[in-house]
Amino acid sequence: MKKNGTQKKKAVSKKKTLVAKTVTPCKANVIYLDNNGTTKLCKEAKNAMVMWLESRANPSSDSIIAKKSKELMECARKYILKHCSVNASKYTIIFTSGASESNCFILRSVVDSYKQHTGKKPHIITSATEHESIIQCCNSLRDSGRANITYIEPNAYGCISPALVKKAITSQTALISVMAANNELGCINDIRAIGEIAHDKKIPFHTDAVQLFGKYKIPLIKNRVDALSMSFHKLYGPMGLGMLIISNALIDGYNLKGQISGTQQNKLRGGTENVPAVAGAVAAIKSTFANRSEKNKKMCLQKKHIIYELEKALPQGTYKSYFSKKKPKRNEFLVLGPESNSSYKNPNVLPNTLLLCFVKNVSFSKEGYKPFCNVDLKKCLNRRNIVISVGSACATSSKKASHVLYSIKAPEIVRQGVIRVSLSDNTTKKEIDTFVKELILCLKKQMPLDDPTGSGTSK
Ligand code: PLP
């Protein structure tokens, strides 16, 4: 049958939709200050990955070319475990698609095994500041009746008190899972103290170490850590590769089962391993930990410089004052999270993370008063090729405010003005200077900076 004109056109357009569109990455030259979101692949990781990209060496195969990839996987595991001051007889590495998968793996496997072995409903202790992957997984375990969950509330700076963790333990606590450092506030939890409490009570301790892993070494036994999650794209490695380091005592003691069926990785995680990514991951750790303490010091100074320069334009207030009845009567900025204790051995804040908040004076609110909007600020910076992130959202945005800001009980006026600035090892002084200059210009669009009271009466 002959096709008429319209049918022919339809056939042509159908053919067109089958052609895959080539999408290329954005090459805009930006000042990227969202490194807690993801980091740029380092050249060492890229080179290591390129070497393996065309290899057909599947580590599960017994072909003559597979031998090398098996060796690579073994060397990678040994190297990473050594980096964490443990050896392969005590701990196992399970490579995953990222920390979200690692977090869900440990929670679900422990819950399943505990129920199977004791016949009782497991209890999990975690914190209200965890990453969504922990919060959502715990909520689903709770809502399906598979586990009882206790969420420990943080203090005003976002830190989890080990004493509160201890208090929450019951005879059915099957796992304690508390993050090593918070991705928004940058606060570092005392995982050693929490690990000690868990160890004394013979309860396994898991920590989501995504944000801390690339900044400081985490000796696992010293910190009494039985399981640790991390993602390699947070330390200049490839996206889509994470790991769960887990003690053999926990695997054997609980007889843990994988969540993705298959024969790979000792049946603990099915699926052919991402060999090039593993090669990149090892190179990324090596390169990230070269001159680590200098890199951390440099970022701490850059953060101080941002605050110092901002203070020239706008006074700095204190977060705690927002809980008193007397509200500040001026435009000001706040730094959320703990003030740094400047210790390299026992730091309390991530060296690269700065959670800033801009507050517009409400006490002089006239008709037409609009609170400060972090989303507008983000857009203004974006137009100037600066990338930051907003942990929560102002009232004009459809994005829901972050659970972390609710957990530290941040009032609405604070939640609406929060932006997160997260530096990288390679952030330059010039970038910081440009950022501060543009930030001040953007702030001026929302509030007068030469008149902090907003009253129009001061200087
Ligand atoms: N945990 C924390 C603390 C994070 O910051 C993130 C990512 O931002 C994750 C888990 C999840 O990592 P991924 O998205 O690579 O699975």
Side-chain angles (χ1 to χ4, degrees):
M1 204 170 70
K2 260 191 168 179
K3 283 180 181 165
N4 64 27
T6 349
Q7 279 171 328
K8 263 188 203 162
K9 259 190 201 160
K10 266 192 186 161
V12 170
S13 70
K14 218 175 185 180
K15 220 175 177 181
K16 263 191 189 161
T17 59
L18 287 176
V19 177
K21 198 173 151 199
T22 306
V23 182
T24 55
C26 171
K27 287 264 167 67
N29 195 9
V30 296
I31 296 180
Y32 184 83
L33 300 175
D34 187 18
N35 291 279
N36 283 7
T38 197
T39 55
K40 186 178 171 189
L41 189 75
C42 63
K43 68 175 187 313
E44 291 83 353
K46 182 180 165 188
N47 293 342
M49 289 174 79
V50 166
M51 207 151 47
W52 282 92
L53 277 180
E54 291 183 353
S55 161
R56 287 160 296 176
N58 179 341
S60 303
S61 135
D62 54 8
S63 76
I64 45 162
I65 55 171
K67 215 172 145 205
K68 280 286 171 192
S69 64
K70 259 187 212 150
E71 196 181 327
L72 168 78
M73 298 299 290
E74 261 169 45
C75 287
R77 288 190 163 98
K78 272 195 192 140
Y79 177 80
I80 297 169
L81 290 178
K82 198 165 171 217
H83 178 83
C84 298
S85 310
V86 289
N87 71 47
S89 67
K90 292 225 158 48
Y91 281 77
T92 293
I93 291 182
I94 303 166
F95 288 109
T96 61
S97 61
S100 303
E101 185 189 326
S102 308
N103 287 341
C104 294
F105 177 109
I106 190 70
L107 292 166
R108 294 208 173 111
S109 306
V110 165
V111 164
D112 289 350
S113 307
Y114 186 90
K115 174 82 183 155
Q116 212 168 30
H117 289 96
T118 64
K120 293 178 186 159
K121 189 172 174 176
H123 169 238
I124 291 175
I125 299 172
T126 188
S127 84
T129 60
E130 298 295 311
H131 184 256
E132 284 290 354
S133 53
I134 294 263
I135 301 278
Q136 285 181 22
C137 187
C138 284
N139 285 349
S140 95
L141 288 167
R142 178 198 60 199
D143 295 346
S144 59
R146 290 164 66 197
N148 292 320
I149 315 284
T150 300
Y151 296 98
I152 307 290
E153 295 294 333
N155 65 14
Y157 307 110
C159 303
I160 301 301
S161 148
L164 290 182
V165 172
K166 190 173 182 180
K167 222 168 133 191
I169 294 172
T170 72
S171 60
Q172 280 168 231
T173 304
L175 183 74
I176 295 173
S177 176
V178 175
M179 70 196 324
N182 184 267
N183 43 311
E184 290 181 34
L185 291 154
C187 52
I188 297 176
N189 284 319
D190 189 350
I191 54 167
R192 193 163 173 189
I194 298 172
E196 206 64 62
I197 290 165
H199 183 78
D200 284 351
K201 299 277 180 186
K202 300 195 167 37
I203 299 165
F205 173 48
H206 164 253
T207 188
D208 172 345
V210 163
Q211 299 294 344
L212 193 70
F213 196 92
K215 312 289 185 310
Y216 300 96
K217 282 196 171 186
I218 309 175
L220 296 181
I221 294 180
K222 204 165 149 193
N223 286 301
R224 306 285 194 195
V225 172
D226 300 292
L228 175 148
S229 303
M230 72 83 61
S231 250
F232 287 98
H233 68 109
K234 308 283 183 179
L235 54 70
Y236 316 94
M239 279 187 189
L241 183 78
M243 67 177 174
L244 179 67
I245 308 183
I246 182 163
S247 76
N248 294 340
L250 176 53
I251 299 177
D252 299 339
Y254 268 52
N255 192 16
L256 291 186
K257 299 279 183 297
Q259 296 292 310
I260 298 178
S261 308
T263 53
Q264 290 88 351
Q265 307 204 59
N266 290 331
K267 294 191 183 166
L268 286 168
R269 203 268 189 182
T272 302
E273 293 92 330
N274 188 343
V275 176
V278 171
V282 172
I285 297 181
K286 280 185 192 164
S287 132
T288 302
F289 276 85
N291 304 319
R292 189 64 252 158
S293 58
E294 278 73 29
K295 290 170 183 168
N296 286 349
K297 272 183 206 145
K298 188 189 87 175
M299 290 191 289
C300 284
L301 289 176
Q302 288 178 334
K303 279 202 307 184
K304 274 193 185 155
H305 185 66
I306 295 173
I307 296 169
Y308 176 77
E309 288 298 317
L310 258 180
E311 273 182 324
K312 288 184 188 167
L314 193 65
Q316 186 184 171
T318 55
Y319 177 54
K320 283 215 163 159
S321 65
Y322 285 78
F323 295 99
S324 75
K325 282 206 177 95
K326 268 175 112 190
K327 295 276 184 297
K329 289 191 168 118
R330 59 181 191 182
N331 299 327
E332 61 184 20
F333 82 94
L334 311 172
V335 178
L336 303 186
E339 197 178 322
S340 170
N341 64 7
S342 304
S343 157
Y344 181 73
K345 274 200 163 165
N346 288 306
N348 62 339
V349 195
L350 290 173
N352 74 323
T353 308
L354 189 56
L355 200 65
L356 292 170
C357 170
F358 301 97
V359 195
K360 222 165 109 179
N361 178 15
V362 269
S363 54
F364 289 97
S365 65
K366 303 159 194 137
E367 230 182 296
Y369 169 82
K370 238 178 95 195
F372 190 86
C373 175
N374 56 359
V375 176
D376 286 348
L377 177 60
K378 180 184 168 172
K379 285 182 189 158
C380 180
L381 289 167
N382 269 190
R383 283 194 295 274
R384 291 153 193 261
N385 282 342
I386 295 172
V387 179
I388 50 98
S389 80
V390 292
S392 78
C394 73
T396 55
S397 157
S398 57
K399 201 174 162 239
K400 218 180 150 257
S402 129
H403 65 280
V404 175
L405 293 177
Y406 282 105
S407 77
I408 59 164
K409 303 189 175 48
E412 195 180 8
I413 192 160
V414 170
R415 293 197 307 268
Q416 290 173 342
V418 171
I419 64 163
R420 182 184 70 186
V421 179
S422 48
L423 313 177
S424 90
D425 291 352
N426 308 309
T427 303
T428 62
K429 179 169 186 311
K430 195 171 161 220
E431 287 179 319
I432 295 288
D433 287 341
T434 311
F435 163 63
V436 178
K437 199 178 104 219
E438 300 295 347
L439 174 62
I440 290 170
L441 288 176
C442 287
L443 289 174
K444 277 186 181 162
K445 290 187 185 290
Q446 293 202 48
M447 56 190 185
L449 296 191
D450 53 351
D451 176 12
T453 65
S455 64
T457 55
S458 75
K459 101 172 160 71

